[in-house]
């Protein structure tokens, strides 16, 4: 079990590329192009339940030197999120979102309540809980029921606790610090981008431009069989300086709203 922040971040990356080999491939290709990769942020997903809410998931990071820096509402997707930064600016920001259960049907709420009741007492306080994977049993029927109300709920039910995506901080890249040049290269190299709301989300005026690959599909084992579903995606962020000359470190809700759709089944 990971016990230090460095080993936890390593474990999260290894878990993530195990189900998203495309991210490893892109990261390796960028390295071959002579680029040094630094992560802008890592995104985690959960439910706003007392046992596993954002603050519970954030605790190991806060205990390791991260501080809360901002929060975000996603009314359409019924999500709330917080972001955390470390005093060591080379470490990725941690972005944690939670599904607002009270805004969903009693059926969805009781299904999620039942999942969470399967987590062994106190397990959610493990230092590496955010990379332990799925701590409950779920059937294909349940996954499909959840999909009707929320792609996000279905994703968390199927994958549990693991990074939804890593994001490359492209400012420091030599050849690919322009997001449009990066996108052209990604497409030419054979990767598909999330086009919801345009390939580039955000503008220099909001101090953040982002782009994401479409989640790759993988076969997941459920209680009652296997199903091939969208897993994780890889994201890229370009940050711009604010009036005070410092790079903006926050997130832009309208852009993130579109990026959440990278794991939608329809795309
Ligand atoms: Ni992100």
């Amino acid at each position: 079990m990971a016990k230090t922040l460095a080993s936890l971040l390593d474990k999260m990356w290894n878990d993530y590329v195990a189900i998203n080999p495309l991210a490893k491939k892109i990261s390796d290709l960028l390295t071959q192009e002579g680029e040094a990769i630094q992560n802008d942020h890592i995104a985690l997903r959960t439910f706003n339940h007392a046992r596993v809410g954002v603050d519970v998931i954030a605790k190991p990071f806060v205990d390791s030197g991260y501080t809360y820096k901002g929060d975000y509402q996603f009314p359409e997707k019924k999500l709330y999120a917080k972001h955390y930064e470390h005093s060591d600016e080379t470490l990725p920001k941690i972005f944690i979102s939670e599904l607002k259960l009270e805004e969903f049907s009693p059926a969805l709420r009781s299904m999620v309540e039942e999942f969470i009741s399967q987590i062994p007492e106190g397990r959610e306080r493990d230092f590496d809980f955010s990379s332990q994977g799925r701590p409950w049993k779920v059937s294909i029927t349940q996954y499909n029921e959840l999909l009707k109300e929320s792609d996000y709920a279905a994703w968390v039910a199927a994958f549990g606790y693991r990074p939804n995506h890593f994001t490359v901080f492209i400012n420091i890249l030599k050849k690919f610090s322009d997001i449009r040049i990066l996108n052209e290269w990604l497409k030419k190299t054979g990767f598909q981008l999330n086009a919801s709301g345009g390939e580039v989300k955000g503008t220099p005026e909001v101090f953040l431009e982002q782009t994401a690959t479409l989640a790759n599909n993988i076969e997941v084992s459920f209680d009652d069989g296997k199903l091939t579903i969208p897993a994780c995606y890889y994201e890229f962020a370009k940050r711009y300086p604010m009036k005070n000359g410092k790079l903006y470190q926050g997130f832009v809700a309208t852009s993130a709203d579109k990026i959440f759709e990278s794991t939608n089944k329809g795309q």
Side-chain angles (χ1 to χ4, degrees), residues 41-43 95 165-167 210 233 235 251 256 259:
H41 65 272
I42 300 173
F95 180 92
H165 60 271
F166 272 68
T167 300
Q210 286 162 282
Y233 55 93
E235 190 182 299
F251 292 83
I259 293 181

Side-chain angles (χ1 to χ4, degrees), residues 46-48 72-81 97-105 108 149-150 152-153 257 260:
T46 189
F47 299 110
N48 73 343
Y72 311 88
Q73 291 286 352
F74 302 92
E76 199 187 310
K77 305 226 160 31
K78 302 173 183 173
L79 298 170
Y80 171 72
S97 54
E98 61 182 17
L99 192 74
K100 295 194 274 185
L101 293 170
E102 67 280 7
E103 297 187 17
F104 288 88
S105 73
L108 180 143
E149 288 193 60
S150 162
Y152 182 106
D257 203 55
F260 276 118

Side-chain angles (χ1 to χ4, degrees), residues 102-118:
E102 67 280 7
E103 297 187 17
F104 288 88
S105 73
L108 180 143
R109 294 204 307 263
S110 65
M111 209 186 288
V112 170
E113 184 72 48
E114 192 269 320
F115 292 152
I116 294 169
S117 72
Q118 294 177 46

Side-chain angles (χ1 to χ4, degrees), residues 141-192:
T141 316
Q142 287 175 314
Y143 176 81
N144 285 328
E145 276 307 303
L146 292 172
L147 261 191
K148 290 180 195 161
E149 288 193 60
S150 162
D151 278 275
Y152 182 106
W155 191 93
V156 181
F159 293 100
Y161 295 91
R162 59 191 324 143
N164 171 265
H165 60 271
F166 272 68
T167 300
V168 179
F169 178 54
I170 72 166
N171 292 56
I172 61 163
L173 300 181
K174 288 175 278 186
K175 282 191 259 180
F176 303 105
S177 65
D178 179 318
I179 204 155
R180 281 162 190 84
I181 291 176
L182 174 75
N183 282 353
E184 286 316 307
W185 176 78
L186 285 168
K187 287 188 287 181
K188 200 181 74 194
T189 317
F191 300 99
Q192 275 183 292

